[in-house]
Structures are given as structure tokens and as C-alpha cells.
């Protein structure tokens, strides 16, 4: 039990010291970015692997137009292992 607590401590404590800056994502076709819509959707699809990529550029008349890039991939754990457990894993990168 102590090893589990120590492991979780080593994983989650550094997360509190990372400085993050963010702006809302503005995708008009959000249904093409399921992991942005809800991370719980990872692995919830028909198939074994899903990859999505999006790009949005808006306000082109300003000096520096607002651009958003997103790429995501997710898979069912049953596709990665031999057990069918209903869980999925996913990775999403937004800029």
C-alpha cells in the first residue's frame, strides 16, 4: 500500500508545479474532435484505433491571426491486449 501511495505522490506532485497558459479552443466542427469534446470518449467507437487532426484559422485581418491545431489518437484497450474490458486510452495535443 505504501508503494502505491509513493508512486501516486511521484506522479501527481510535479503536476502542481507546471505553469500552464491556455485559451479556449474554437472548433466549429467539434464533432470531428471527440477527445476535445470529452476525454471520456477515448475508446468509445466502432473499430480499434482512431486518429483525428484539426486546424482552425480565424480573424485573418488582424496582425497575428488566431490559429488552433489539434491532433488526437485513441484506442480500445481490448485492441492492445487480449482481454475485452471496455476501457480506452487516448492522447491529445492542442496548440
Amino acid at each position: 500500500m505504501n508503494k502505491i501511495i509513493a508512486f501516486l505522490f511521484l506522479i501527481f506532485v510535479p503536476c502542481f508545479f507546471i505553469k500552464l497558459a491556455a485559451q479556449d479552443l474554437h472548433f466549429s466542427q467539434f464533432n470531428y474532435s471527440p477527445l476535445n469534446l470529452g476525454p471520456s470518449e477515448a475508446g468509445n467507437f466502432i473499430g480499434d484505433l482512431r486518429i483525428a487532426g484539426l486546424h482552425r484559422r480565424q480573424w485573418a485581418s488582424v496582425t497575428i491571426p488566431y490559429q488552433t491545431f489539434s491532433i488526437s489518437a485513441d484506442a480500445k484497450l481490448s485492441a492492445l491486449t487480449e482481454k475485452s474490458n471496455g476501457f480506452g486510452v487516448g492522447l491529445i495535443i492542442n496548440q
Side-chain angles (χ1 to χ4, degrees):
M1 183 68 176
N2 289 335
K3 289 182 181 181
I4 295 172
I5 293 172
F7 176 74
L8 292 174
F9 183 78
L10 289 174
I11 296 296
F12 289 113
V13 169
C15 294
F16 294 113
F17 298 105
I18 298 172
K19 181 181 178 185
L20 298 175
Q23 189 169 1
D24 290 338
L25 297 174
H26 296 283
F27 291 127
S28 57
Q29 297 180 349
F30 56 86
N31 54 334
Y32 289 112
S33 182
L35 292 184
N36 277 325
L37 187 60
S40 63
E41 294 295 318
N44 187 15
F45 59 94
I46 298 173
D48 293 330
L49 177 67
R50 174 172 56 184
I51 298 173
L54 290 171
H55 171 257
R56 168 96 191 243
R57 181 177 177 170
Q58 60 188 21
W59 303 324
S61 62
V62 298
T63 307
I64 301 173
Y66 181 76
Q67 294 187 40
T68 305
F69 300 96
S70 177
I71 187 164
S72 64
D74 62 321
K76 295 180 180 181
L77 283 180
S78 61
L80 303 175
T81 63
E82 294 183 13
K83 294 190 297 184
S84 178
N85 52 17
F87 289 100
V89 294
L91 174 71
I92 185 165
I93 299 171
N94 294 316
Q95 180 185 5

